[in-house]
Amino acid sequence: MKHRRITKRRAAVAGAGIAALVAAGVTFQTANASETTKAPAPQPLSITAAGKLASTLGKDLGTDAAGTYYDAKTKQLVVNVLDEATAKTVQAAGAKARIVENSLAELKSARTTLKQDATIPGTSWVTDPQTNQVVVTADRTVSKTELAKLTKVVDGLGATVELQRTKGEFKPFIAGGDAITGSGGRCSLGFNVVKGGQPYFITAGHCTEAISTWTDSSGNQIGTNEQSSFPGNDFGLVKYTSSVAHPSEVDLYNGSAQAITKAADATVGQKVTRSGSTTQVHDGTVTGLDATVNYGNGDIVNGLIQTDVCAEPGDSGGSLFSGDSAVGLTSGGSGDCTSGGETFFQPVTEALSTFGAQIG
């Protein structure tokens, strides 16, 4: 069992990153103590400002930081640190410091051990900055023997890992936006994009692996696959082959639509909305990043956004967004929109980068 401890380190403050924040207009606080000595509360930040601050502090602090998340109630960025010196740096930059035990290196090492020794269908794991642990979840398909193996590995990792069970079953939601269909089933359109001046749309990779030619809800052919990546990733690119309208917006299923003007990375604690052709529109919160999900049959996907938003078969590929920002593509999860559940999303920014496409 790992001994619990607080690691003492000196914070290395990179002046260039802090200066950039000043130039960007971020309000700094004068702080002489960490959160444990009741330092002045940071000023409220929007989710966009918090994301930028998190990115800059992550680069400046390096291994002295141990994860970040957004507190939607107080509108503050919370930064996990390993010592008082780093806490003062965080507070000076306008964020809330929280001293924790486990470093990112220790959490990464735990994930590596899980990958090597506990790759079991029906499991997922994600680094949770709010608990400062790697949270491992086993669904109802995991057998007693497999659970015993998983428990042994988790116990060996001590305080860095927590094991949970879910009554649901992790599975891709094949059966965002409007319904798109083909000979292999039904999915949902994620976001309209532009590549090389031509119109395309993106959806889940497990959808484009099963279906190559797409039609709309009226049976009219609208597109054919251009690129697909699943497992490992879960995104696909489809080229429009008809003159159907393709505005950069998401169907809200109430007669209106949300305009989408850009793509953005998710932040833990961020409020998000999902649109899909089975269960339409549902809201929730980002609960983890860089999640690994084992859907079974060798279908393991990495780097996913974990949320408490519900979804069901047919919602796959649909849109996850926050305001006018595209955030994710529905991959899979457990539960449903009656009893609740959790859903994982492929980050949109990674898909766009891979495809060389832009929101539009």
Side-chain angles (χ1 to χ4, degrees), residues 52-360:
K52 291 179 179 178
L53 180 57
S55 178
T56 300
L57 282 174
K59 294 175 183 177
D60 288 349
L61 300 177
T63 57
D64 289 316
T68 64
Y69 63 94
Y70 184 66
D71 187 333
K73 291 183 179 180
T74 62
K75 295 185 177 179
Q76 293 175 349
L77 175 69
V78 181
V79 182
N80 292 336
V81 298
L82 302 173
D83 55 44
E84 290 280 357
T86 309
K88 292 178 181 179
T89 300
V90 167
Q91 289 159 189
K96 183 178 180 180
R98 174 172 173 254
I99 295 180
V100 297
E101 175 181 348
N102 300 314
S103 68
L104 286 181
E106 290 170 317
L107 298 176
K108 182 178 180 181
S109 176
R111 291 173 63 112
T112 299
T113 299
L114 288 166
K115 182 178 180 179
Q116 293 174 343
D117 300 336
T119 297
I120 298 170
T123 61
S124 71
W125 52 78
V126 64
T127 302
D128 183 354
Q130 294 176 294
T131 64
N132 187 228
Q133 292 178 306
V134 176
V135 178
V136 181
T137 305
D139 73 12
R140 62 180 177 82
T141 68
V142 176
S143 68
K144 290 183 178 179
T145 300
E146 292 170 329
L147 184 61
K149 174 183 177 181
L150 182 60
T151 301
K152 182 178 181 180
V153 174
V154 168
D155 287 346
L157 293 170
T160 58
V161 180
E162 176 187 355
L163 177 60
Q164 299 179 347
R165 294 300 305 269
T166 178
K167 295 180 180 179
E169 177 182 347
F170 291 135
K171 55 187 176 182
F173 287 136
I174 188 168
D178 296 327
I180 48 176
T181 61
S183 59
R186 172 172 59 85
C187 284
S188 298
L189 190 149
F191 298 97
N192 285 317
V193 301
V194 174
K195 177 182 178 183
Q198 299 298 311
Y200 293 78
F201 67 80
I202 53 177
T203 187
H206 69 268
C207 293
T208 50
E209 287 294 310
I211 302 170
S212 59
T213 300
W214 296 91
T215 59
D216 61 20
S217 58
S218 299
N220 302 311
Q221 182 176 323
I222 59 171
T224 57
N225 289 352
E226 179 98 353
Q227 291 179 251
S228 184
S229 182
F230 179 82
N233 301 305
D234 198 358
F235 48 68
L237 179 70
V238 180
K239 181 176 177 58
Y240 277 106
T241 56
S242 72
S243 58
V244 63
H246 38 78
S248 186
E249 60 185 31
V250 174
D251 190 350
L252 297 180
Y253 287 91
N254 62 2
S256 66
Q258 169 65 57
I260 301 296
T261 64
K262 58 184 178 293
D265 293 323
T267 300
V268 174
Q270 180 179 14
K271 299 298 182 182
V272 287
T273 303
R274 178 195 57 73
S275 178
S277 60
T278 299
T279 58
Q280 302 183 357
V281 178
H282 288 272
D283 299 320
T285 304
V286 174
T287 58
L289 303 175
D290 195 23
T292 294
V293 184
N294 190 329
Y295 291 125
N297 299 314
D299 293 338
I300 302 173
V301 185
N302 303 303
L304 297 177
I305 302 165
Q306 180 175 292
T307 74
D308 60 8
V309 185
C310 71
E312 296 179 13
D315 288 327
S316 278
S319 321
L320 183 74
F321 58 97
S322 180
D324 64 351
S325 297
V327 175
L329 304 169
T330 307
S331 175
S334 66
D336 54 43
C337 289
T338 299
S339 60
E342 60 184 339
T343 304
F344 300 92
F345 296 84
Q346 166 68 51
V348 164
T349 52
E350 181 184 7
L352 294 177
S353 177
T354 300
F355 296 143
Q358 300 81 40
I359 292 293

